[in-house]
Amino acid sequence: MIPLSVCMIGKNEEKNIEKCLSALMPYGFEIIYVDTGSTDRTKELAAKHGADIYDFEWIDDFSAARNFSLEKATHDHVLILDCDEFLTKLDMEGVCAAIEAHPHGVGQICRHSYTGSEIGGNASTEEIDRVFNRRKYHYIYKIHEQVADRESDSTDYERYPVPVTADHVGYVGSAEEKQRKAKRNNELLFQEIKRNPEEPYFYFQVGQSYNLMDDYENAYVYYKKAFSLPLNLENVWVHVMANNFIAACIRTSREPEALSLYLPVYDDYAMDANFLCSIGSLYLNLTPPQPLKAVMEFVKVLQSPVSLEGADLSGAALFGMGYANELLGNFDAAQNFYEKSAAKNYAAAIQKLAADTERSF
């Protein structure tokens, strides 16, 4: 059996740390917890659950903290977790077999991310790089840190699945807190851009921060810059960026520009249900709208509804078909699609039906 060290960093995670560590205790892992300045009971609770605790002076560099945790591990192979991630499945024999079959690669765990502070409801699913040999790999980038080869700092390496699943709760804060967080993130991202102006990943992440601030004009600017640079379409984040760029174009009334950009490379993205939904939304937001073309995209989604991130887009597609039929004057059909979308727990459809019911009284 290959021994694993679980490496974690955190600050003021009192509300999450016990649940996170409780799920790890049955496996007898060495748990390395690096604290970056907690003022609550996080360290006390981590010690109670068997973690080895180390303090790290925060220097605005997530990779530095991650790499410090790797240095403190005593086993070569590590599993990286965050305090707000809760293990739901781990097959150690399967993990060891996967590592032995891919000695030079990086293992990906399956993470279900929930938008609120509680587990339940709709979740996005993603495969993230979290199991590797710490002597071969480390972290790079001050923020939105990435696993990279120690010798070349390359993030292009063999990735393989490991039988580990975790639930992740999203960041919850007021609009003002989210804006402050986004601004702090951008300060670090601008430093990375200054060091490496040809790396599209940083421009993408700046666009994400502006999205969090509801500043869609600046989000559009940075997504567009990222797409002006060479991109590796095998990276899932490139597909995420494509969808978010389209959304920013819709928000800023640039739908024709988005179509002119994506139609020539449609086949490069068309395997992603999220992208097809985004193109369908583009057609609905044109002036004048093109609902029949939108329906064609949503039908493709229903034929293969799961996105590259693992999210089921059938609810979104059914809602889009409802709106398209409403534009076409097919109100009975529209109602039918809205009801099917609501049955998938798609929030916009539920709100739409509730609003229509209120208006009927």
Side-chain angles (χ1 to χ4, degrees):
M1 193 73 73
I2 298 173
L4 277 179
S5 296
V6 177
C7 294
M8 308 168 60
I9 66 173
K11 178 182 177 182
N12 291 337
E13 289 286 355
E14 182 180 82
K15 66 183 183 296
N16 292 319
I17 192 76
E18 284 193 286
K19 184 176 180 180
C20 176
L21 296 182
S22 293
L24 295 171
M25 291 184 72
Y27 299 96
F29 292 128
E30 174 186 56
I31 300 173
I32 305 298
Y33 172 68
V34 171
D35 191 88
T36 61
S38 291
T39 56
D40 63 5
R41 297 175 59 231
T42 299
K43 290 196 290 183
E44 174 191 339
L45 296 173
K48 175 183 173 183
H49 287 78
D52 296 327
I53 302 167
Y54 300 89
D55 290 312
F56 181 81
E57 183 178 354
W58 182 244
I59 54 173
D60 288 337
D61 190 328
F62 285 89
S63 284
R66 293 281 189 202
N67 290 331
F68 182 75
S69 75
L70 298 181
E71 291 171 10
K72 297 302 179 183
T74 62
H75 302 309
D76 285 350
H77 288 89
V78 295
L79 165 63
I80 308 299
L81 284 179
D82 286 333
C83 298
D84 57 1
E85 295 172 341
F86 313 122
L87 204 68
T88 58
K89 171 189 171 184
L90 191 148
D91 172 7
M92 272 306 298
E93 288 188 4
V95 170
C96 293
I99 291 173
E100 289 173 347
H102 307 273
H104 304 295
V106 173
Q108 294 187 312
I109 73 169
C110 177
R111 184 174 75 174
H112 302 300
S113 292
Y114 296 84
T115 55
S117 60
E118 301 294 334
I119 303 298
N122 293 328
S124 61
T125 302
E126 54 192 335
E127 307 296 324
I128 51 177
D129 300 350
R130 291 296 183 82
V131 177
F132 54 86
N133 187 323
R134 67 187 179 91
R135 301 193 185 280
K136 296 179 181 179
Y137 293 95
H138 68 158
Y139 279 92
I140 59 173
Y141 307 153
K142 284 178 173 286
I143 188 169
H144 301 300
E145 64 276 19
Q146 299 281 290
V147 178
D149 182 275
R150 279 191 177 273
E151 293 184 0
S152 64
D153 276 351
S154 172
T155 58
D156 291 329
Y157 40 72
E158 179 193 15
R159 292 172 168 86
Y160 61 91
V162 293
V164 178
T165 303
D167 286 339
H168 171 244
V169 293
Y171 173 77
V172 177
S174 67
E176 288 184 358
E177 288 171 332
K178 288 180 179 179
Q179 289 223 353
R180 284 197 295 270
K181 180 181 179 181
K183 288 177 180 177
R184 288 195 302 269
N185 288 353
N186 273 358
E187 289 176 3
L188 297 178
L189 287 166
F190 290 141
Q191 293 177 29
E192 294 288 5
I193 286 173
K194 187 174 182 179
R195 276 194 290 270
N196 193 350
E198 299 304 308
E199 173 52 64
Y201 179 74
F202 300 131
Y203 296 97
F204 161 61
Q205 292 294 352
V206 172
Q208 296 290 82
S209 291
Y210 279 121
N211 253 346
L212 193 63
M213 292 186 271
D214 297 328
D215 184 347
Y216 302 108
E217 187 65 37
N218 272 314
Y220 158 82
V221 169
Y222 281 90
Y223 291 143
K224 185 173 183 178
K225 174 61 178 176
F227 274 106
S228 73
L229 299 169
L231 294 169
N232 180 359
L233 293 180
E234 292 184 3
N235 290 327
V236 173
W237 66 262
V238 176
H239 292 261
V240 173
M241 182 170 65
N243 303 322
N244 291 354
F245 181 80
I246 291 172
C249 285
I250 292 173
R251 294 272 192 170
T252 58
S253 301
R254 291 183 171 96
E255 294 89 349
E257 179 180 345
L259 274 178
S260 68
L261 174 66
Y262 285 108
L263 288 184
V265 293
Y266 178 92
D267 290 343
D268 292 330
Y269 295 89
M271 77 291 292
D272 185 3
N274 210 338
F275 174 75
L276 297 173
C277 267
S278 295
I279 292 293
S281 295
L282 263 184
Y283 283 124
L284 292 177
N285 282 276
L286 289 173
T287 304
Q290 299 184 27
L292 291 177
K293 287 187 176 181
V295 166
M296 291 175 63
E297 302 301 325
F298 294 131
V299 167
K300 293 176 187 176
V301 174
L302 294 176
Q303 291 170 343
S304 184
V306 179
S307 73
L308 292 178
E309 296 176 279
D312 185 341
L313 276 297
S314 57
L318 289 164
F319 180 82
M321 293 183 73
Y323 185 53
N325 275 278
E326 190 172 333
L327 291 174
L328 291 166
N330 301 328
F331 298 110
D332 288 342
Q335 180 74 9
N336 183 42
F337 282 117
Y338 288 141
E339 290 173 355
K340 289 181 177 178
S341 178
K344 297 279 186 178
N345 292 317
Y346 190 64
I350 294 170
Q351 293 167 4
K352 166 73 174 171
L353 292 174
D356 288 348
T357 300
E358 289 179 6
R359 281 196 294 268
S360 67
F361 285 100

